[in-house]
């Protein structure tokens, strides 16, 4: 990662005013046990996952869920993801009968004599995806059971579930003994948090406990090992896949949000489960306003945005070798932060107020891990009036595993810029 800075960073720290309500807690076994009890009692706890920090509550407690929406200032049209440790718990929320063992591994499913029933095929697909990708960065959306509060689903009737792999997240779910609904732990539309300090920056005035694995916890419990100090190593939110039946024998898996799991991996999984003839896998990214109800989060056009106007510089402009940055454009750069990828905008580095390359070598894994931290960094550069990043062009059909995170980075930057692509700096 390359960083240069031609100005001074503004002071960045968690708010510490007298009215602050949020507090840090360690990741010790004792702390997480207390945090689990707090979740059960209907209050909020922010915790790290392998993707981003979540703002967790008791998923079946409607009052607790309302507290999440209030703390985030989140519209009720944007649903929440429910976090569980075992696929069995998700099946109960999905209105699917149990076909998994207690350990969450797939077992044979009764076909009621023909094996072609709508419910049987849908359940087999859910089981196959959960067995292959959980725990990990895949959120699966399916029809909800009656016990799921409608507020979680934006009244769509579909509920999103995920099993995180981060040990702190799993320990908290276990300690709470309940499914945890958790969107990203930030104010709605702002950059997603990947550090405890990011959560404090956004939610200091809310009644929330923030699990910080960097706190001294006297070598007690799960937060004490070196491995667990790596926070949010994927760095972007999970892939979201919606599973639904169109007819008795034909279903569809729709990718609604790009993440670390690719559409091609999902197709291979379904093929391995003998379901390729029954399910097609398609990509359907959306960019809507906040007044539209969604079955999955992260669908609004303005999302993940720093508190500074942001723009994507068009692919045609920065790849045109005959193009010259004009004098007026150079003036704009004096008050601009550039967030680059693979040196696409390296010609702007010397003139920009500040410059950071997500990965100078073009590694999407490194870029994904850095993108939200870089967006938050950009809004804290003193004098910054605008942020530029390159428009990233990636093939979006038959997405391979190696392209999945690149598409995720592209999606986050596109929404951070509200989809605005410019040919000339402004």
């Amino acid at each position: 990662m390359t960083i240069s800075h031609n100005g001074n960073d503004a002071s960045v720290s968690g708010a510490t005013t007298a009215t602050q309500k949020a507090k840090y807690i360690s990741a010790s076994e004792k702390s997480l046990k207390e945090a689990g009890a707090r979740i059960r009692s209907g209050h909020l706890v922010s915790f790290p996952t392998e993707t981003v920090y979540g703002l967790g509550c008791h998923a079946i407690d409607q009052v607790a869920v309302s507290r999440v929406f209030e703390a985030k200032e989140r519209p009720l049209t944007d649903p929440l993801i429910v976090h569980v440790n075992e696929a069995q718990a998700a099946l109960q929320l999905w209105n699917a009968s149990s076909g998994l063992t207690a350990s969450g591994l797939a077992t044979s499913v009764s076909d009621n004599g023909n094996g072609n029933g709508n419910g049987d095929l849908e359940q087999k697909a859910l089981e196959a995806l959960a067995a292959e990708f959980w725990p990990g960065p895949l959120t699966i959306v399916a029809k909800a059971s009656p016990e799921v509060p409608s507020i979680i689903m934006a009244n769509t009737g579909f509920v999103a579930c995920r099993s995180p792999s981060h040990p702190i997240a799993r320990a908290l779910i276990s300690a709470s003994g309940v499914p945890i609904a958790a969107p990203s732990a930030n104010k709605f539309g702002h950059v997603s948090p990947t550090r405890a300090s990011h959560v404090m920056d956004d939610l200091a005035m809310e009644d929330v406990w923030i699990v910080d694995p960097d706190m001294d916890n006297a070598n007690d419990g799960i937060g004490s090992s070196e491995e667990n100090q790596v926070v949010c190593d994927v760095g972007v939110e999970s892939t979201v896949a919606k599973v639904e039946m169109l007819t008795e024998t034909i279903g569809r898996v729709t990718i609604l949000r790009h993440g670390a799991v690719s559409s091609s991996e999902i197709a291979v999984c379904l093929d391995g489960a003998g379901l390729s003839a029954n399910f097609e896998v398609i990509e359907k990214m959306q960019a809507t306003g906040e007044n539209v109800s969604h079955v999955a989060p992260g669908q609004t056009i303005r999302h993940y945005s720093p508190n500074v106007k942001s723009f994507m510089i068009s692919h045609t402009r920065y790849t045109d070798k005959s193009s010259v940055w004009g004098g007026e454009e150079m003036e704009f750069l004096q008050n601009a932060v550039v967030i680059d990828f693979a040196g696409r905008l390296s010609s702007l580095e010397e003139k920009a107020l500040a410059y950071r390359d997500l990965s100078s070598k073009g590694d999407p894994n490194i870029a994904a891990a850095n993108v939200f931290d870089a967006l938050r960094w950009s809004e804290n550069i003193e004098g910054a009036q605008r942020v530029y990043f390159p428009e990233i062009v990636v093939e979006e059909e038959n997405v391979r595993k190696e392209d999945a995170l690149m598409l995720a980075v592209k999606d986050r930057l596109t929404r951070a810029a509200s989809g605005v692509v410019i040919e000339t700096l402004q």
Side-chain angles (χ1 to χ4, degrees), residues 98-404:
S98 174
L100 302 189
T101 67
S103 64
L105 299 176
T107 62
S108 61
V109 181
S110 170
D111 62 9
N112 296 322
N114 57 36
N116 292 324
N118 181 315
D120 289 336
L121 288 171
E122 183 176 16
Q123 180 178 317
K124 287 178 180 178
L126 292 170
E127 290 178 352
L129 293 172
E132 177 69 21
F133 298 108
W134 285 5
L138 175 68
T139 292
I140 306 172
V141 179
K143 287 183 179 179
S145 68
E147 70 176 290
V148 179
S150 60
I151 188 174
I152 282 182
M153 306 177 287
N155 293 308
T156 63
F158 286 81
V159 64
C161 296
R162 185 169 92 82
S163 178
S165 63
H166 198 292
I168 293 175
R170 297 185 68 79
L172 180 61
I173 294 169
S174 178
S176 72
V178 297
I180 295 179
S184 56
N186 57 322
K187 291 296 184 181
F188 181 75
H190 194 213
V191 183
S192 298
T194 54
R195 303 171 186 259
S197 61
H198 294 166
V199 181
M200 185 63 81
D201 286 341
D202 275 24
L203 303 180
M205 304 308 162
E206 308 298 335
D207 183 15
V208 56
W209 290 6
I210 304 169
V211 180
D212 183 0
D214 289 333
M215 284 185 67
D216 179 11
N217 50 45
N219 296 318
D220 178 25
I222 192 163
S224 62
S225 73
E226 182 177 344
E227 177 183 357
N228 294 332
Q229 301 309 308
V230 177
V231 180
C232 307
D233 55 342
V234 174
V236 292
E237 291 90 346
S238 58
T239 299
V240 175
K242 179 184 179 185
V243 178
E244 60 184 332
M245 298 303 299
L246 306 178
T247 70
E248 284 295 313
T249 59
I250 299 298
R252 176 184 295 160
V253 177
T254 305
I255 308 302
L256 298 174
R257 183 175 72 186
H258 289 302
V261 176
S262 70
S263 57
S264 63
E265 289 177 284
I266 289 173
V268 168
C269 170
L270 294 173
D271 183 52
L275 296 170
S276 59
N278 304 102
F279 286 88
E280 65 171 340
V281 180
I282 66 170
E283 310 243 350
K284 186 180 179 181
M285 302 303 111
Q286 294 184 327
T288 67
E290 295 177 11
N291 60 329
V292 178
S293 292
H294 303 104
V295 298
Q299 307 295 293
T300 53
I301 183 57
R302 185 182 184 277
H303 217 73
Y304 319 115
S305 299
N307 296 324
V308 181
K309 287 192 293 186
S310 301
F311 306 92
M312 289 180 291
I313 298 175
S314 74
H315 178 262
T316 54
R317 175 66 191 276
Y318 70 73
T319 56
D320 183 357
K321 295 182 179 179
S322 64
S323 178
V324 177
W325 303 103
E328 186 177 4
E329 291 181 305
M330 290 295 103
E331 292 181 13
F332 284 127
L333 275 172
Q334 294 176 14
N335 300 309
V337 175
V338 175
I339 298 176
D340 202 359
F341 175 70
R344 286 167 165 81
L345 302 178
S346 58
S347 61
L348 303 181
E349 180 176 1
E350 290 187 3
K351 298 294 184 180
L353 177 63
Y355 173 95
R356 179 169 177 174
D357 197 318
L358 298 175
S359 171
S360 58
K361 295 182 179 180
D363 186 329
N365 293 281
I366 295 174
N370 288 329
V371 63
F372 287 143
D373 190 57
L375 287 170
R376 282 184 175 262
W377 163 81
S378 70
E379 67 185 10
N380 286 293
I381 299 296
E382 185 177 353
Q385 297 179 10
R386 55 189 63 81
V387 182
Y388 298 127
F389 18 82
E391 179 189 22
I392 298 175
V393 178
V394 187
E395 174 59 50
E396 297 196 23
E397 294 184 4
N398 301 314
V399 178
R400 302 169 299 171
K401 179 178 181 179
E402 54 268 32
D403 293 329

Side-chain angles (χ1 to χ4, degrees), residues 41-159:
S41 69
H43 295 280
L44 309 185
V45 176
S46 178
F47 60 97
T49 75
E50 70 276 22
T51 57
V52 299
Y53 258 82
L55 180 62
C57 72
H58 189 326
I60 311 303
D61 182 338
Q62 186 158 327
V63 173
V65 175
S66 296
R67 289 187 173 122
V68 168
F69 281 93
E70 291 168 4
K72 282 180 59 69
E73 301 173 16
R74 182 186 184 96
L76 295 176
T77 53
D78 210 35
L80 308 185
I81 295 172
V82 180
H83 294 66
V84 297
N85 276 347
E86 305 297 341
Q88 177 67 52
L91 279 174
Q92 294 172 356
L93 297 172
W94 279 328
N95 198 25
S97 60
S98 174
L100 302 189
T101 67
S103 64
L105 299 176
T107 62
S108 61
V109 181
S110 170
D111 62 9
N112 296 322
N114 57 36
N116 292 324
N118 181 315
D120 289 336
L121 288 171
E122 183 176 16
Q123 180 178 317
K124 287 178 180 178
L126 292 170
E127 290 178 352
L129 293 172
E132 177 69 21
F133 298 108
W134 285 5
L138 175 68
T139 292
I140 306 172
V141 179
K143 287 183 179 179
S145 68
E147 70 176 290
V148 179
S150 60
I151 188 174
I152 282 182
M153 306 177 287
N155 293 308
T156 63
F158 286 81
V159 64

Side-chain angles (χ1 to χ4, degrees), residues 1-25:
M1 175 173 46
T2 302
I3 303 176
S4 64
H5 183 201
N6 301 323
N8 296 315
D9 285 322
S11 175
V12 183
S13 62
T16 56
T17 67
T19 57
Q20 176 177 313
K21 296 180 181 179
K23 73 171 187 177
Y24 292 118
I25 64 169

